[in-house]
Amino acid sequence: MELCRPQPLYLWISLRASVTRLFVFLLAAGSTALDPCHVSAGLGPENVFVVVNGDEVNSLTVANHYTKIREIPPSNVFVLDDVPSGLTVSLEGFRDRILKPILDEIDQRKLSRQIRAIAYSAGFPTGVNIASHTAQLTDPNAKRYQTAVASLNSLTFFYRFVLSDSPQYLGWGSNLYARGPFGRNFANPLGGEKGDVFGEAQDALDSERFEEAAEKWSELADEFPSMAPLQILAAEASWQSDDRNEAVRRVGLAVKSGWTNRQYLKTESPLATLFEGETPSGGGALSKLLASMKDVPAAHQGPVGFAGDVGWASNGYPVPLKDGGVGYMLSTMLAVVHPNGSTIEQAVDYLKRAAASDRTFPDATVGFSKTGDVRTKTRFPLFGDALSWLLSRDRDVAIFSGKLPSDTKSYVGLMLGTPQFDVLGRRWSIVPGGIAENLTSTGAVFAGSGQTKCTELLHAGAAMSSGAVAEPYSIPMKFPSPLIHPYYFEGVTAAEAFYLTTSSPYQLLIIGDPLTQPFARAPAAEFELSMDENLTPDGRRVIRVARQTDQQDAPAGRHSETLAIELYIQDRLVQRLRPVREINFRIPANTFGPARCRVVAVGKDPTEPRIGFSRTFVLGSESKLPKVQTVEPATDDRKTSLKVSCAGAESIDLQHFGRTVATIQGDQGEVKLSRQQIGDGPVPLQAIGRKGNRALLGPIQLIAR
């Protein structure tokens, strides 16, 4: 798989949206090709694939609510049948009956370019028995502490290892996407001949052969442009060889590739003398470079948005899979509906609350529990680094000596460590969008009730939490580090924050809304999607996407410059462009059916914050399209009565999440659907009229149940 490819200025795409094949011609003003070395990252609804257990009412119900709350594209929802029952599944059962069907479906729908996270609805096993993999461990410490149950979402994250039947994900640092100490930036991330070149450059530097070092690191930086530290190394060697212009150019390329740490360059790097006297507000070229960076401590690597179509190198940066990068897939569970977990009402409540928090920038406290319990002592060593980062960003922090806070503060983050806790009667609160987690042995073992489950933090107001599905021991690599909270404040989604800070997550069950992003600095751009009433001279309709002027009164520090625009037609990514002002689609006038259009503005920041705008256009006469009408709404276990019609159709299929739940012979009729078929809540249904080998799609309609 290529890292990226230059995209053509003019692109023809083919869509099955109606009785005919829909051909669309894309026009964009100006030069539109995005930098071919750029790695697309970050998370929005278009990047999440929601998986539903088709035999489970609770799973259908949670998915009904979540897809509406988050406006998940219809093609990004998959109803899976024959899901293994129970809380634990065998490795073979997970691989063959859950993982492979999901990945095959993503490929079949041609969504591989855009899917970066798999979110399981309720009704799935939470643990996977991996005894065949732990049996292969030879290190005594690993054999003792890496127990034989993994979580459903972690094995999805490590899907490449599962498919190759490799136990290597059991390593203490198997998640290369996770951030590490700052010095990891400059470790040799390459193998083979390229790794030798890196070593030769380091030897040249150590021997003060700066020009030779600059030449070799520049060669590597040009070949791997997504690895910003290579540009910094080339810049440092260039500066030490008295090539000021090349040093400045390389720093600029590093910033373009995602380098953000200003403090290192000004205080610890050989480039410090280059930046002497420069300030971010100075106005010169060097000042502009400094202004584009962040003044945070240089103790740890900064957060980056997740990319799914590349791999990750040992230094934590994206690299093509063909060059040895390790690929992953983010994964979480939306809910665990269980007597020891959540009720449907609780799950829907925290999912709604989480979605409402996006880009709200809550002014609340981040709290850390510090007690004598080994569960909190395990994470003490990184408390100082997390506090320093948060304080450098003017965040309020608190360290409390009990299991839970005893104050009346509002918290946006909590890091706990206790086997039992009780959130009833609390005086403190968790603001919408807050994340909270607790290090303990069985926080996600729902078969027993001995220890408090991580879902209690969701019920207390958190958007996402996590717990171990089997005895993890007090090993810090298996749980999020304290850096989860400063990284979250930098703007990543909740799912990214958890994976960015857990280097060995194989036992961690992560529950909640993966898209929660209260601190995302998305572009302040707005888009208007419209369709011209008049046909073009050649008989086509025109759908127009116009980017409005970025909001001039946007609060400082809460938005980023627009880096790119992504265009989705019928839920599929068709083009990634520079931030042009207008895009036009020309569509044949005889095309009928709904055309779903989505445009996404991507921010110029390593976290790649995203904001999307969607609209569905009905092409052709709306009166001729298939319709679904409620005849008699249902309550409790009664069936919902619906009237379905499509003029001239020989038969009509009624679909829920792309799965046919009823078929009517003729052009109209009534059907009754049970909650076992479609779940409860706002149910998305679509009628498809068929005549011969032709199919006419109706718009997706929400039916209350």
Side-chain angles (χ1 to χ4, degrees), residues 45-92:
E46 61 279 355
N47 307 120
V48 176
F49 198 67
V50 176
V51 184
V52 190
N53 183 343
D55 300 318
E56 236 278 351
V57 174
N58 290 333
S59 190
L60 294 164
T61 299
V62 169
N64 287 337
H65 284 281
Y66 185 70
T67 55
K68 178 180 183 294
I69 292 167
R70 279 298 185 183
E71 297 183 0
I72 302 295
S75 296
N76 288 31
V77 187
F78 174 44
V79 178
L80 182 62
D81 295 320
D82 192 33
V83 174
S85 60
L87 287 173
T88 304
V89 62
S90 67
L91 180 59
E92 294 74 18

Side-chain angles (χ1 to χ4, degrees), residues 12 120 133 175 243 331 361 384 446 455 471 491 522 534 585 631 689 692:
W12 283 90
Y120 291 97
H133 282 170
N175 174 14
D243 191 342
S331 179
F361 291 84
F446 293 96
T455 46
E471 174 57 64
N534 300 319
F585 303 88
V631 176

Side-chain angles (χ1 to χ4, degrees), residues 27 543 552:
L27 292 172
I543 292 179
Q552 301 301 314

Side-chain angles (χ1 to χ4, degrees), residues 106-151:
I106 291 173
D107 286 341
Q108 184 177 330
R109 298 185 188 188
K110 302 189 186 319
L111 299 176
S112 300
R113 287 180 62 198
Q114 67 201 62
I115 297 301
R116 295 169 197 151
I118 291 173
Y120 291 97
S121 186
F124 283 87
T126 54
V128 181
N129 188 314
I130 55 167
S132 62
H133 282 170
T134 55
Q136 299 177 48
L137 295 172
T138 56
D139 179 81
N141 281 327
K143 288 185 74 68
R144 178 180 178 184
Y145 296 117
Q146 300 295 61
T147 50
V149 177
S151 74

Side-chain angles (χ1 to χ4, degrees), residues 16-40:
R16 291 187 182 274
S18 63
V19 219
T20 63
R21 291 179 66 85
L22 171 61
F23 290 95
V24 181
F25 189 60
L26 172 64
L27 292 172
S31 176
T32 61
L34 196 66
D35 185 348
C37 68
H38 181 79
V39 175
S40 177

Side-chain angles (χ1 to χ4, degrees), residues 338-342 418-421 423 438 440-459 465-468 511:
H338 187 275
N340 293 326
S342 302
T418 179
Q420 290 98 14
F421 60 88
V423 296
N438 178 47
T440 193
S441 297
T442 60
V445 180
F446 293 96
S449 57
Q451 294 188 356
T452 306
K453 305 310 170 192
C454 60
T455 46
E456 287 303 301
L457 290 169
L458 299 172
H459 308 157
S465 189
S466 65
I511 310 172

